[in-house]
Amino acid sequence: MNIFNIVISGVGGQGVLLASKVFAESALASGLDAKQNEVHGMAQRGGSVISFVRIGDKVYSPAVIAGTADLLIAFEPLEALRYVHFLKPGGRLVYNTGTINPSTVASGMAVYPKDVEEQIARCCTNSHAIDALSIANKAGDVRAVNMVMVGSVIKNVPLDAKVIDGVVKTLSKGKGVEVNLSALRGGAAG
């Protein structure tokens, strides 16, 4: 198998790192090699977070180089726009439509672009928007946006959905198992 490159971006506290762990652990459970790397930056609630997951028969480096990602999963529209340059030509972008104001917007130093989705459409012709917050809410917990986003790309990754389900069960704790599985399925249906 060729290397499949995934970039996951979001805001600190949205569960980007757990989502990337689900993909990496699912690849390993499938007998594939996987490397995972993340850049925390200002990850404590509100800062930009980006994570890389590379899947293949043999993966030597965790870093995804700009212009080589098969898939960009963005938990927030501005984060999609910020990292769309990682996609290769024809790469797929799936992003959550729910917005979170970055600290510069919250402090009044900048303005959130009103046309962010139009800008995304101009940058990426292979994109899909999903209202992950509504789906997570229906699943029972708005914090499950990350599992909605994982579910929303199941058909786009070289991994079996049943393996991903099993990994989500293993990584989830207590009552979170059913919520996360419901969010995963809701994302796959959305």
Side-chain angles (χ1 to χ4, degrees):
M1 159 183 190
N2 290 330
I3 304 296
F4 190 84
N5 293 316
I6 304 170
V7 175
I8 306 170
S9 66
V11 175
Q14 285 189 295
V16 168
L17 303 183
L18 178 58
S20 64
K21 188 171 185 172
V22 167
F23 289 117
E25 293 290 328
S26 295
L28 295 173
S30 300
L32 297 168
D33 193 12
K35 298 289 186 281
Q36 176 188 354
N37 184 23
E38 61 267 342
V39 178
H40 297 277
M42 296 284 295
Q44 60 277 41
R45 302 261 182 232
S48 184
V49 178
I50 185 170
S51 181
F52 306 125
V53 181
R54 302 187 73 216
I55 300 167
D57 290 327
K58 186 64 184 157
V59 181
Y60 294 99
S61 169
V64 175
I65 297 168
T68 66
D70 297 283
L71 179 63
L72 169 60
I73 307 164
F75 289 16
E76 201 278 340
L78 196 55
E79 296 302 312
L81 197 55
R82 185 185 322 264
Y83 295 110
V84 73
H85 68 281
F86 274 97
L87 282 175
K88 69 181 186 183
R92 178 103 169 123
L93 164 63
V94 178
Y95 68 97
N96 177 22
T97 58
T99 61
I100 297 175
N101 286 334
S103 58
T104 54
V105 172
S107 67
M109 295 171 48
V111 177
Y112 196 98
K114 290 183 181 9
D115 67 338
V116 69
E117 292 198 41
E118 290 82 8
Q119 289 184 52
I120 290 168
R122 285 193 299 271
C123 293
C124 181
T125 58
N126 188 10
S127 65
H128 176 69
I130 184 169
D131 184 355
L133 187 59
S134 290
I135 296 169
N137 192 38
K138 287 177 188 168
D141 193 331
V142 294
R143 295 175 297 177
V145 162
N146 58 349
M147 291 302 112
V148 172
M149 296 307 294
V150 169
S152 73
V153 299
I154 281 180
K155 62 184 172 277
N156 302 113
V157 296
L159 300 167
D160 186 277
K162 290 180 184 175
V163 173
I164 294 173
D165 267 20
V167 168
V168 168
K169 285 178 191 173
T170 301
L171 294 176
S172 299
K173 294 178 174 67
K175 291 188 260 182
V177 173
E178 288 309 313
V179 168
N180 283 341
L181 289 174
S182 179
L184 191 71
R185 292 181 188 115

